[in-house]
Amino acid sequence: MNTFDAIFSRKSVRHFQYEKLEWDVISDILEYANSLPLLIEGIAIEFKLVSNIEANQGFNNPFSVRAPYYICISSENKEDYLLNAGYLMQQLNLYITAKGLGTCFVLSGPGRGLKASMKYEYVIALAFGKTVSSPYRDSSKAKRLPESDVVVYKEEVTPDIKQIINAARLAPSAYNSQPWRFVVYKNRIHIFTKKNSFLAKALDYNKMIDMGIMLANLLLASEELWVDTSLTKSDTLKNKLFQNNEYVCTVIIG
Ligand SMILES: Cc1cc2nc3c(=O)[nH]c(=O)nc-3n(C[C@H](O)[C@H](O)[C@H](O)COP(=O)(O)O)c2cc1C
């Protein structure tokens, strides 16, 4: 299984075996993390591995997913840093999944001491480890909004572009909120995020992490299917006020 296959077969895992992983496996994951290209250049980040096997180092909050290992990302707080962090963490998520291990993103904090030990601002963690049951499921079993709720096709597109959109829609999101919306043409995909109500503004933080996670799926699928893409932002769309959605970026195809 490669990371592309993992997009379609992964699921969040919340029950782990408290068993040590071989050091080779851990060091390979860290090496992969540190080799990932950034989505947005010029944002310093750091990955931090936390093992709760021998000593409890964090994530003791009763609402946290309990796992033997966590990998955390901290980042400089600059424009689009949450998008960048989500993008990196999802690639790591798929890489770890492809190794046969279970994963789950964790919102509830790592604890004050652990946070303070991070180089930059803590963003999000990914719990991982050996699982009790299979970390895989068929993509048809994933609970996702119907395509017609999140995608508008403005033109007839190729099956590859449909597959890329499908990969994007399968991305995990906090509370499975799926904040992404797509306007698709033959040669570009405009990406929007659903506006939260005034009361749900607190969810805006997770939303941009979710959008980065989704972008990782979208760009990885494009690469796998040999569809050339580049990311840009349209000034016109950026400055336009939409009632229910906010513009994020455009993926140029070809
Ligand atoms: C940014 C983010 C934070 C998440 N935080 C938690 C969490 O704190 N606890 C939890 O059980 N699941 C968490 N999840 C997992 C989501 O609930 C899950 O991805 C979503 O319900 C879709 O299910 P699936 O991943 O099995 O496809 C998180 C997911 C994301 C992307």
Side-chain angles (χ1 to χ4, degrees):
M1 176 180 292
N2 66 13
T3 51
F4 175 70
D5 302 322
I7 291 176
F8 301 93
S9 53
R10 63 152 295 285
K11 66 175 181 188
S12 292
V13 169
R14 297 179 178 86
H15 299 286
F16 294 91
Q17 290 180 31
Y18 270 74
E19 207 178 286
K20 226 174 169 172
L21 293 171
E22 295 291 326
W23 176 245
D24 283 4
V25 176
I26 300 279
S27 69
D28 183 56
I29 290 170
L30 287 174
E31 211 171 285
Y32 181 79
N34 289 316
S35 72
L36 285 169
L38 302 174
L39 183 69
I40 290 134
E41 288 303 322
I43 304 179
I45 52 121
E46 186 193 51
F47 293 102
K48 191 178 183 81
L49 180 83
V50 174
S51 163
N52 267 2
I53 289 199
E54 271 142 24
N56 230 324
Q57 295 189 57
F59 294 95
N60 304 317
N61 178 320
F63 298 108
S64 273
V65 175
R66 305 196 69 76
Y69 296 95
Y70 300 83
I71 188 153
C72 312
I73 187 168
S74 68
S75 170
E76 277 184 310
N77 183 334
K78 287 186 172 171
E79 190 182 349
D80 286 336
Y81 76 110
L82 297 176
L83 207 62
N84 187 54
Y87 171 77
L88 296 171
M89 289 298 271
Q90 174 64 357
Q91 288 179 78
L92 207 44
N93 183 12
L94 297 170
Y95 187 73
I96 296 173
T97 302
K99 283 182 174 292
L101 300 171
T103 61
C104 189
F105 280 104
V106 187
L107 277 180
S108 327
R112 218 181 286 170
L114 188 55
K115 257 190 194 175
S117 72
M118 293 181 197
K119 198 162 175 188
Y120 306 107
E121 182 182 309
Y122 167 76
V123 179
I124 185 98
L126 186 70
F128 70 98
K130 290 188 185 169
T131 59
V132 176
S133 51
S134 169
Y136 304 125
R137 82 169 157 220
D138 191 87
S139 64
S140 62
K141 301 258 164 42
K143 290 197 179 97
R144 294 298 183 269
L145 293 168
E147 189 185 57
S148 56
D149 282 15
V150 294
V151 190
V152 176
Y153 287 102
K154 293 286 194 184
E155 292 171 348
E156 188 72 34
V157 300
T158 62
D160 280 352
I161 295 180
K162 288 215 163 165
Q163 178 73 326
I164 289 168
I165 293 291
N166 199 19
R169 285 179 50 232
L170 279 170
S173 54
Y175 309 107
N176 205 18
S177 55
Q178 307 163 65
W180 38 76
R181 299 293 180 266
F182 307 94
V183 179
V184 186
Y185 294 83
K186 268 191 280 201
N187 61 357
R188 64 197 185 282
I189 304 169
H190 295 309
I191 297 177
F192 296 81
T193 179
K194 195 173 173 295
K195 275 186 194 170
N196 284 318
S197 69
F198 181 70
L199 286 174
K201 277 282 174 235
L203 295 176
D204 278 359
Y205 179 84
N206 308 327
K207 196 170 81 170
M208 292 319 285
I209 302 175
D210 292 339
M211 293 303 287
I213 290 173
M214 176 282 293
L215 273 176
N217 275 20
L218 190 152
L219 296 175
L220 214 148
S222 311
E223 202 178 290
E224 181 77 16
L225 299 169
W226 294 50
V227 173
D228 275 340
T229 54
S230 54
L231 215 58
T232 175
K233 285 193 188 191
S234 148
D235 286 337
T236 320
L237 292 176
K238 215 159 63 175
N239 296 323
K240 205 165 157 179
L241 205 64
F242 297 93
Q243 197 175 2
N244 300 318
N245 299 298
E246 270 167 66
Y247 173 71
V248 178
C249 61
T250 297
V251 175
I252 304 283
I253 298 162

PDB file of all heavy atoms in Angstrom, residues 11-41:
ATOM      1  N   LYS A  11      -9.008   4.904   8.083  1.00  0.00           N
ATOM      2  CA  LYS A  11     -10.090   5.384   8.950  1.00  0.00           C
ATOM      3  C   LYS A  11      -9.439   5.815  10.260  1.00  0.00           C
ATOM      4  O   LYS A  11      -8.300   5.392  10.558  1.00  0.00           O
ATOM      5  CB  LYS A  11     -11.137   4.297   9.183  1.00  0.00           C
ATOM      6  CG  LYS A  11     -10.606   3.114   9.975  1.00  0.00           C
ATOM      7  CD  LYS A  11     -11.717   2.126  10.288  1.00  0.00           C
ATOM      8  CE  LYS A  11     -11.162   0.978  11.108  1.00  0.00           C
ATOM      9  NZ  LYS A  11     -12.096  -0.107  11.311  1.00  0.00           N
ATOM     10  N   SER A  12     -10.125   6.598  11.049  1.00  0.00           N
ATOM     11  CA  SER A  12      -9.585   6.971  12.351  1.00  0.00           C
ATOM     12  C   SER A  12      -9.674   5.781  13.283  1.00  0.00           C
ATOM     13  O   SER A  12     -10.690   5.092  13.319  1.00  0.00           O
ATOM     14  CB  SER A  12     -10.383   8.139  12.953  1.00  0.00           C
ATOM     15  OG  SER A  12     -10.176   9.296  12.195  1.00  0.00           O
ATOM     16  N   VAL A  13      -8.593   5.571  14.028  1.00  0.00           N
ATOM     17  CA  VAL A  13      -8.529   4.452  14.973  1.00  0.00           C
ATOM     18  C   VAL A  13      -8.424   5.035  16.380  1.00  0.00           C
ATOM     19  O   VAL A  13      -7.621   5.938  16.616  1.00  0.00           O
ATOM     20  CB  VAL A  13      -7.292   3.572  14.654  1.00  0.00           C
ATOM     21  CG1 VAL A  13      -7.033   2.579  15.765  1.00  0.00           C
ATOM     22  CG2 VAL A  13      -7.483   2.863  13.325  1.00  0.00           C
ATOM     23  N   ARG A  14      -9.228   4.523  17.290  1.00  0.00           N
ATOM     24  CA  ARG A  14      -9.232   5.091  18.649  1.00  0.00           C
ATOM     25  C   ARG A  14      -8.857   4.062  19.719  1.00  0.00           C
ATOM     26  O   ARG A  14      -8.859   4.384  20.894  1.00  0.00           O
ATOM     27  CB  ARG A  14     -10.575   5.746  18.947  1.00  0.00           C
ATOM     28  CG  ARG A  14     -10.831   6.932  18.010  1.00  0.00           C
ATOM     29  CD  ARG A  14     -12.157   7.610  18.229  1.00  0.00           C
ATOM     30  NE  ARG A  14     -12.317   8.745  17.333  1.00  0.00           N
ATOM     31  CZ  ARG A  14     -12.778   8.688  16.088  1.00  0.00           C
ATOM     32  NH1 ARG A  14     -13.124   7.538  15.558  1.00  0.00           N
ATOM     33  NH2 ARG A  14     -12.878   9.786  15.350  1.00  0.00           N
ATOM     34  N   HIS A  15      -8.569   2.822  19.305  1.00  0.00           N
ATOM     35  CA  HIS A  15      -8.139   1.787  20.268  1.00  0.00           C
ATOM     36  C   HIS A  15      -6.823   1.197  19.804  1.00  0.00           C
ATOM     37  O   HIS A  15      -6.730   0.671  18.685  1.00  0.00           O
ATOM     38  CB  HIS A  15      -9.206   0.698  20.400  1.00  0.00           C
ATOM     39  CG  HIS A  15     -10.504   1.248  20.892  1.00  0.00           C
ATOM     40  ND1 HIS A  15     -10.693   1.627  22.196  1.00  0.00           N
ATOM     41  CD2 HIS A  15     -11.645   1.543  20.234  1.00  0.00           C
ATOM     42  CE1 HIS A  15     -11.910   2.113  22.325  1.00  0.00           C
ATOM     43  NE2 HIS A  15     -12.508   2.084  21.153  1.00  0.00           N
ATOM     44  N   PHE A  16      -5.827   1.328  20.659  1.00  0.00           N
ATOM     45  CA  PHE A  16      -4.469   0.909  20.283  1.00  0.00           C
ATOM     46  C   PHE A  16      -3.944  -0.155  21.230  1.00  0.00           C
ATOM     47  O   PHE A  16      -4.390  -0.274  22.373  1.00  0.00           O
ATOM     48  CB  PHE A  16      -3.528   2.120  20.346  1.00  0.00           C
ATOM     49  CG  PHE A  16      -3.858   3.173  19.329  1.00  0.00           C
ATOM     50  CD1 PHE A  16      -4.736   4.210  19.635  1.00  0.00           C
ATOM     51  CD2 PHE A  16      -3.300   3.131  18.062  1.00  0.00           C
ATOM     52  CE1 PHE A  16      -5.050   5.181  18.689  1.00  0.00           C
ATOM     53  CE2 PHE A  16      -3.604   4.107  17.109  1.00  0.00           C
ATOM     54  CZ  PHE A  16      -4.481   5.128  17.428  1.00  0.00           C
ATOM     55  N   GLN A  17      -2.927  -0.876  20.752  1.00  0.00           N
ATOM     56  CA  GLN A  17      -2.186  -1.790  21.638  1.00  0.00           C
ATOM     57  C   GLN A  17      -1.044  -0.985  22.238  1.00  0.00           C
ATOM     58  O   GLN A  17      -0.360  -0.267  21.511  1.00  0.00           O
ATOM     59  CB  GLN A  17      -1.572  -2.929  20.826  1.00  0.00           C
ATOM     60  CG  GLN A  17      -2.573  -3.908  20.268  1.00  0.00           C
ATOM     61  CD  GLN A  17      -1.864  -4.999  19.468  1.00  0.00           C
ATOM     62  OE1 GLN A  17      -0.739  -5.370  19.756  1.00  0.00           O
ATOM     63  NE2 GLN A  17      -2.546  -5.477  18.448  1.00  0.00           N
ATOM     64  N   TYR A  18      -0.848  -1.157  23.551  1.00  0.00           N
ATOM     65  CA  TYR A  18       0.268  -0.426  24.178  1.00  0.00           C
ATOM     66  C   TYR A  18       1.543  -1.219  24.002  1.00  0.00           C
ATOM     67  O   TYR A  18       2.085  -1.787  24.923  1.00  0.00           O
ATOM     68  CB  TYR A  18      -0.052  -0.126  25.648  1.00  0.00           C
ATOM     69  CG  TYR A  18      -0.747   1.195  25.719  1.00  0.00           C
ATOM     70  CD1 TYR A  18      -2.067   1.305  25.304  1.00  0.00           C
ATOM     71  CD2 TYR A  18      -0.063   2.348  26.086  1.00  0.00           C
ATOM     72  CE1 TYR A  18      -2.696   2.529  25.273  1.00  0.00           C
ATOM     73  CE2 TYR A  18      -0.697   3.567  26.067  1.00  0.00           C
ATOM     74  CZ  TYR A  18      -2.004   3.652  25.658  1.00  0.00           C
ATOM     75  OH  TYR A  18      -2.614   4.871  25.608  1.00  0.00           O
ATOM     76  N   GLU A  19       2.001  -1.250  22.784  1.00  0.00           N
ATOM     77  CA  GLU A  19       3.167  -2.057  22.437  1.00  0.00           C
ATOM     78  C   GLU A  19       4.193  -1.165  21.765  1.00  0.00           C
ATOM     79  O   GLU A  19       3.844  -0.318  20.925  1.00  0.00           O
ATOM     80  CB  GLU A  19       2.701  -3.136  21.464  1.00  0.00           C
ATOM     81  CG  GLU A  19       3.530  -4.388  21.503  1.00  0.00           C
ATOM     82  CD  GLU A  19       2.959  -5.417  20.537  1.00  0.00           C
ATOM     83  OE1 GLU A  19       1.901  -6.011  20.866  1.00  0.00           O
ATOM     84  OE2 GLU A  19       3.540  -5.597  19.474  1.00  0.00           O
ATOM     85  N   LYS A  20       5.443  -1.386  22.128  1.00  0.00           N
ATOM     86  CA  LYS A  20       6.538  -0.587  21.574  1.00  0.00           C
ATOM     87  C   LYS A  20       6.701  -0.891  20.084  1.00  0.00           C
ATOM     88  O   LYS A  20       6.597  -2.049  19.682  1.00  0.00           O
ATOM     89  CB  LYS A  20       7.825  -0.997  22.291  1.00  0.00           C
ATOM     90  CG  LYS A  20       8.661   0.161  22.728  1.00  0.00           C
ATOM     91  CD  LYS A  20       9.813  -0.343  23.545  1.00  0.00           C
ATOM     92  CE  LYS A  20      10.788   0.784  23.740  1.00  0.00           C
ATOM     93  NZ  LYS A  20      11.830   0.439  24.673  1.00  0.00           N
ATOM     94  N   LEU A  21       6.963   0.158  19.287  1.00  0.00           N
ATOM     95  CA  LEU A  21       7.285  -0.076  17.875  1.00  0.00           C
ATOM     96  C   LEU A  21       8.798  -0.181  17.745  1.00  0.00           C
ATOM     97  O   LEU A  21       9.532   0.404  18.549  1.00  0.00           O
ATOM     98  CB  LEU A  21       6.781   1.100  17.024  1.00  0.00           C
ATOM     99  CG  LEU A  21       5.265   1.264  16.927  1.00  0.00           C
ATOM    100  CD1 LEU A  21       4.912   2.575  16.237  1.00  0.00           C
ATOM    101  CD2 LEU A  21       4.646   0.098  16.158  1.00  0.00           C
ATOM    102  N   GLU A  22       9.245  -0.929  16.748  1.00  0.00           N
ATOM    103  CA  GLU A  22      10.687  -1.035  16.487  1.00  0.00           C
ATOM    104  C   GLU A  22      11.247   0.360  16.253  1.00  0.00           C
ATOM    105  O   GLU A  22      10.590   1.196  15.628  1.00  0.00           O
ATOM    106  CB  GLU A  22      10.924  -1.855  15.201  1.00  0.00           C
ATOM    107  CG  GLU A  22      10.488  -3.295  15.276  1.00  0.00           C
ATOM    108  CD  GLU A  22      11.370  -4.116  16.209  1.00  0.00           C
ATOM    109  OE1 GLU A  22      12.576  -3.824  16.272  1.00  0.00           O
ATOM    110  OE2 GLU A  22      10.818  -5.006  16.886  1.00  0.00           O
ATOM    111  N   TRP A  23      12.476   0.594  16.707  1.00  0.00           N
ATOM    112  CA  TRP A  23      13.075   1.913  16.532  1.00  0.00           C
ATOM    113  C   TRP A  23      13.194   2.277  15.042  1.00  0.00           C
ATOM    114  O   TRP A  23      13.024   3.431  14.658  1.00  0.00           O
ATOM    115  CB  TRP A  23      14.433   2.017  17.240  1.00  0.00           C
ATOM    116  CG  TRP A  23      15.051   3.349  16.961  1.00  0.00           C
ATOM    117  CD1 TRP A  23      16.195   3.599  16.275  1.00  0.00           C
ATOM    118  CD2 TRP A  23      14.512   4.652  17.306  1.00  0.00           C
ATOM    119  NE1 TRP A  23      16.413   4.956  16.160  1.00  0.00           N
ATOM    120  CE2 TRP A  23      15.388   5.622  16.786  1.00  0.00           C
ATOM    121  CE3 TRP A  23      13.356   5.080  17.982  1.00  0.00           C
ATOM    122  CZ2 TRP A  23      15.168   6.991  16.935  1.00  0.00           C
ATOM    123  CZ3 TRP A  23      13.130   6.447  18.124  1.00  0.00           C
ATOM    124  CH2 TRP A  23      14.033   7.381  17.607  1.00  0.00           C
ATOM    125  N   ASP A  24      13.433   1.260  14.183  1.00  0.00           N
ATOM    126  CA  ASP A  24      13.519   1.494  12.725  1.00  0.00           C
ATOM    127  C   ASP A  24      12.241   2.150  12.194  1.00  0.00           C
ATOM    128  O   ASP A  24      12.293   3.020  11.328  1.00  0.00           O
ATOM    129  CB  ASP A  24      13.593   0.143  11.984  1.00  0.00           C
ATOM    130  CG  ASP A  24      14.959  -0.459  12.087  1.00  0.00           C
ATOM    131  OD1 ASP A  24      15.789   0.145  12.779  1.00  0.00           O
ATOM    132  OD2 ASP A  24      15.169  -1.521  11.468  1.00  0.00           O
ATOM    133  N   VAL A  25      11.106   1.668  12.709  1.00  0.00           N
ATOM    134  CA  VAL A  25       9.803   2.179  12.243  1.00  0.00           C
ATOM    135  C   VAL A  25       9.660   3.645  12.661  1.00  0.00           C
ATOM    136  O   VAL A  25       9.312   4.517  11.863  1.00  0.00           O
ATOM    137  CB  VAL A  25       8.645   1.328  12.824  1.00  0.00           C
ATOM    138  CG1 VAL A  25       7.285   1.884  12.450  1.00  0.00           C
ATOM    139  CG2 VAL A  25       8.784  -0.114  12.374  1.00  0.00           C
ATOM    140  N   ILE A  26       9.977   3.911  13.926  1.00  0.00           N
ATOM    141  CA  ILE A  26       9.858   5.280  14.449  1.00  0.00           C
ATOM    142  C   ILE A  26      10.813   6.216  13.702  1.00  0.00           C
ATOM    143  O   ILE A  26      10.425   7.307  13.284  1.00  0.00           O
ATOM    144  CB  ILE A  26      10.224   5.296  15.963  1.00  0.00           C
ATOM    145  CG1 ILE A  26       9.286   4.400  16.750  1.00  0.00           C
ATOM    146  CG2 ILE A  26      10.270   6.712  16.507  1.00  0.00           C
ATOM    147  CD1 ILE A  26       7.971   4.997  17.099  1.00  0.00           C
ATOM    148  N   SER A  27      12.045   5.784  13.517  1.00  0.00           N
ATOM    149  CA  SER A  27      13.021   6.700  12.906  1.00  0.00           C
ATOM    150  C   SER A  27      12.673   6.929  11.437  1.00  0.00           C
ATOM    151  O   SER A  27      12.860   8.024  10.912  1.00  0.00           O
ATOM    152  CB  SER A  27      14.461   6.220  13.095  1.00  0.00           C
ATOM    153  OG  SER A  27      14.673   5.076  12.344  1.00  0.00           O
ATOM    154  N   ASP A  28      12.095   5.921  10.787  1.00  0.00           N
ATOM    155  CA  ASP A  28      11.664   6.085   9.397  1.00  0.00           C
ATOM    156  C   ASP A  28      10.533   7.126   9.312  1.00  0.00           C
ATOM    157  O   ASP A  28      10.514   7.973   8.412  1.00  0.00           O
ATOM    158  CB  ASP A  28      11.202   4.721   8.871  1.00  0.00           C
ATOM    159  CG  ASP A  28      10.811   4.785   7.420  1.00  0.00           C
ATOM    160  OD1 ASP A  28      11.649   5.216   6.610  1.00  0.00           O
ATOM    161  OD2 ASP A  28       9.656   4.435   7.092  1.00  0.00           O
ATOM    162  N   ILE A  29       9.616   7.071  10.268  1.00  0.00           N
ATOM    163  CA  ILE A  29       8.494   8.036  10.281  1.00  0.00           C
ATOM    164  C   ILE A  29       9.039   9.457  10.486  1.00  0.00           C
ATOM    165  O   ILE A  29       8.656  10.403   9.798  1.00  0.00           O
ATOM    166  CB  ILE A  29       7.468   7.659  11.381  1.00  0.00           C
ATOM    167  CG1 ILE A  29       6.737   6.375  10.988  1.00  0.00           C
ATOM    168  CG2 ILE A  29       6.480   8.793  11.654  1.00  0.00           C
ATOM    169  CD1 ILE A  29       5.869   5.760  12.075  1.00  0.00           C
ATOM    170  N   LEU A  30       9.985   9.594  11.412  1.00  0.00           N
ATOM    171  CA  LEU A  30      10.544  10.924  11.687  1.00  0.00           C
ATOM    172  C   LEU A  30      11.335  11.451  10.488  1.00  0.00           C
ATOM    173  O   LEU A  30      11.254  12.636  10.147  1.00  0.00           O
ATOM    174  CB  LEU A  30      11.447  10.873  12.927  1.00  0.00           C
ATOM    175  CG  LEU A  30      10.698  10.728  14.245  1.00  0.00           C
ATOM    176  CD1 LEU A  30      11.661  10.530  15.397  1.00  0.00           C
ATOM    177  CD2 LEU A  30       9.828  11.965  14.495  1.00  0.00           C
ATOM    178  N   GLU A  31      12.060  10.534   9.849  1.00  0.00           N
ATOM    179  CA  GLU A  31      12.841  10.939   8.671  1.00  0.00           C
ATOM    180  C   GLU A  31      11.897  11.418   7.556  1.00  0.00           C
ATOM    181  O   GLU A  31      12.145  12.426   6.908  1.00  0.00           O
ATOM    182  CB  GLU A  31      13.633   9.730   8.184  1.00  0.00           C
ATOM    183  CG  GLU A  31      14.966  10.090   7.545  1.00  0.00           C
ATOM    184  CD  GLU A  31      15.761   8.825   7.289  1.00  0.00           C
ATOM    185  OE1 GLU A  31      16.299   8.260   8.271  1.00  0.00           O
ATOM    186  OE2 GLU A  31      15.809   8.397   6.130  1.00  0.00           O
ATOM    187  N   TYR A  32      10.811  10.674   7.372  1.00  0.00           N
ATOM    188  CA  TYR A  32       9.823  11.049   6.350  1.00  0.00           C
ATOM    189  C   TYR A  32       9.233  12.433   6.680  1.00  0.00           C
ATOM    190  O   TYR A  32       9.142  13.302   5.814  1.00  0.00           O
ATOM    191  CB  TYR A  32       8.712   9.992   6.291  1.00  0.00           C
ATOM    192  CG  TYR A  32       7.656  10.279   5.252  1.00  0.00           C
ATOM    193  CD1 TYR A  32       7.873  10.013   3.914  1.00  0.00           C
ATOM    194  CD2 TYR A  32       6.426  10.847   5.620  1.00  0.00           C
ATOM    195  CE1 TYR A  32       6.909  10.295   2.957  1.00  0.00           C
ATOM    196  CE2 TYR A  32       5.457  11.127   4.666  1.00  0.00           C
ATOM    197  CZ  TYR A  32       5.703  10.843   3.334  1.00  0.00           C
ATOM    198  OH  TYR A  32       4.748  11.129   2.386  1.00  0.00           O
ATOM    199  N   ALA A  33       8.872  12.617   7.966  1.00  0.00           N
ATOM    200  CA  ALA A  33       8.282  13.896   8.388  1.00  0.00           C
ATOM    201  C   ALA A  33       9.230  15.047   8.057  1.00  0.00           C
ATOM    202  O   ALA A  33       8.833  16.064   7.482  1.00  0.00           O
ATOM    203  CB  ALA A  33       7.996  13.869   9.888  1.00  0.00           C
ATOM    204  N   ASN A  34      10.488  14.856   8.369  1.00  0.00           N
ATOM    205  CA  ASN A  34      11.443  15.947   8.183  1.00  0.00           C
ATOM    206  C   ASN A  34      11.848  16.152   6.726  1.00  0.00           C
ATOM    207  O   ASN A  34      12.499  17.143   6.414  1.00  0.00           O
ATOM    208  CB  ASN A  34      12.673  15.721   9.074  1.00  0.00           C
ATOM    209  CG  ASN A  34      12.302  15.948  10.539  1.00  0.00           C
ATOM    210  OD1 ASN A  34      11.611  16.912  10.874  1.00  0.00           O
ATOM    211  ND2 ASN A  34      12.705  15.038  11.415  1.00  0.00           N
ATOM    212  N   SER A  35      11.439  15.209   5.849  1.00  0.00           N
ATOM    213  CA  SER A  35      11.790  15.376   4.434  1.00  0.00           C
ATOM    214  C   SER A  35      10.631  15.985   3.639  1.00  0.00           C
ATOM    215  O   SER A  35      10.754  16.249   2.448  1.00  0.00           O
ATOM    216  CB  SER A  35      12.147  14.017   3.825  1.00  0.00           C
ATOM    217  OG  SER A  35      10.960  13.257   3.680  1.00  0.00           O
ATOM    218  N   LEU A  36       9.482  16.177   4.295  1.00  0.00           N
ATOM    219  CA  LEU A  36       8.306  16.659   3.564  1.00  0.00           C
ATOM    220  C   LEU A  36       8.469  18.107   3.100  1.00  0.00           C
ATOM    221  O   LEU A  36       8.838  18.968   3.911  1.00  0.00           O
ATOM    222  CB  LEU A  36       7.055  16.578   4.460  1.00  0.00           C
ATOM    223  CG  LEU A  36       6.467  15.192   4.679  1.00  0.00           C
ATOM    224  CD1 LEU A  36       5.419  15.236   5.800  1.00  0.00           C
ATOM    225  CD2 LEU A  36       5.838  14.669   3.387  1.00  0.00           C
ATOM    226  N   PRO A  37       8.191  18.382   1.816  1.00  0.00           N
ATOM    227  CA  PRO A  37       8.238  19.788   1.385  1.00  0.00           C
ATOM    228  C   PRO A  37       7.048  20.566   1.964  1.00  0.00           C
ATOM    229  O   PRO A  37       5.970  20.000   2.139  1.00  0.00           O
ATOM    230  CB  PRO A  37       8.166  19.716  -0.136  1.00  0.00           C
ATOM    231  CG  PRO A  37       7.741  18.340  -0.468  1.00  0.00           C
ATOM    232  CD  PRO A  37       7.858  17.456   0.746  1.00  0.00           C
ATOM    233  N   LEU A  38       7.283  21.817   2.275  1.00  0.00           N
ATOM    234  CA  LEU A  38       6.213  22.646   2.855  1.00  0.00           C
ATOM    235  C   LEU A  38       5.207  23.029   1.770  1.00  0.00           C
ATOM    236  O   LEU A  38       5.565  23.105   0.598  1.00  0.00           O
ATOM    237  CB  LEU A  38       6.799  23.935   3.434  1.00  0.00           C
ATOM    238  CG  LEU A  38       7.876  23.794   4.505  1.00  0.00           C
ATOM    239  CD1 LEU A  38       8.440  25.161   4.861  1.00  0.00           C
ATOM    240  CD2 LEU A  38       7.309  23.123   5.754  1.00  0.00           C
ATOM    241  N   LEU A  39       3.980  23.298   2.173  1.00  0.00           N
ATOM    242  CA  LEU A  39       2.997  23.835   1.228  1.00  0.00           C
ATOM    243  C   LEU A  39       3.294  25.319   1.013  1.00  0.00           C
ATOM    244  O   LEU A  39       3.174  25.849  -0.082  1.00  0.00           O
ATOM    245  CB  LEU A  39       1.577  23.664   1.808  1.00  0.00           C
ATOM    246  CG  LEU A  39       0.430  24.114   0.930  1.00  0.00           C
ATOM    247  CD1 LEU A  39       0.273  23.198  -0.277  1.00  0.00           C
ATOM    248  CD2 LEU A  39      -0.880  24.132   1.722  1.00  0.00           C
ATOM    249  N   ILE A  40       3.672  25.957   2.103  1.00  0.00           N
ATOM    250  CA  ILE A  40       3.964  27.396   2.041  1.00  0.00           C
ATOM    251  C   ILE A  40       5.389  27.616   2.542  1.00  0.00           C
ATOM    252  O   ILE A  40       5.700  27.300   3.702  1.00  0.00           O
ATOM    253  CB  ILE A  40       2.930  28.176   2.867  1.00  0.00           C
ATOM    254  CG1 ILE A  40       1.590  28.098   2.127  1.00  0.00           C
ATOM    255  CG2 ILE A  40       3.310  29.645   3.035  1.00  0.00           C
ATOM    256  CD1 ILE A  40       0.442  27.790   2.940  1.00  0.00           C
ATOM    257  N   GLU A  41       6.219  28.118   1.646  1.00  0.00           N
ATOM    258  CA  GLU A  41       7.631  28.314   1.988  1.00  0.00           C
ATOM    259  C   GLU A  41       7.788  29.369   3.081  1.00  0.00           C
ATOM    260  O   GLU A  41       6.973  30.286   3.194  1.00  0.00           O
ATOM    261  CB  GLU A  41       8.401  28.770   0.741  1.00  0.00           C
ATOM    262  CG  GLU A  41       8.612  27.678  -0.299  1.00  0.00           C
ATOM    263  CD  GLU A  41       9.331  26.435   0.245  1.00  0.00           C
ATOM    264  OE1 GLU A  41      10.248  26.604   1.073  1.00  0.00           O
ATOM    265  OE2 GLU A  41       8.952  25.316  -0.149  1.00  0.00           O
TER     266      GLU A  41
END
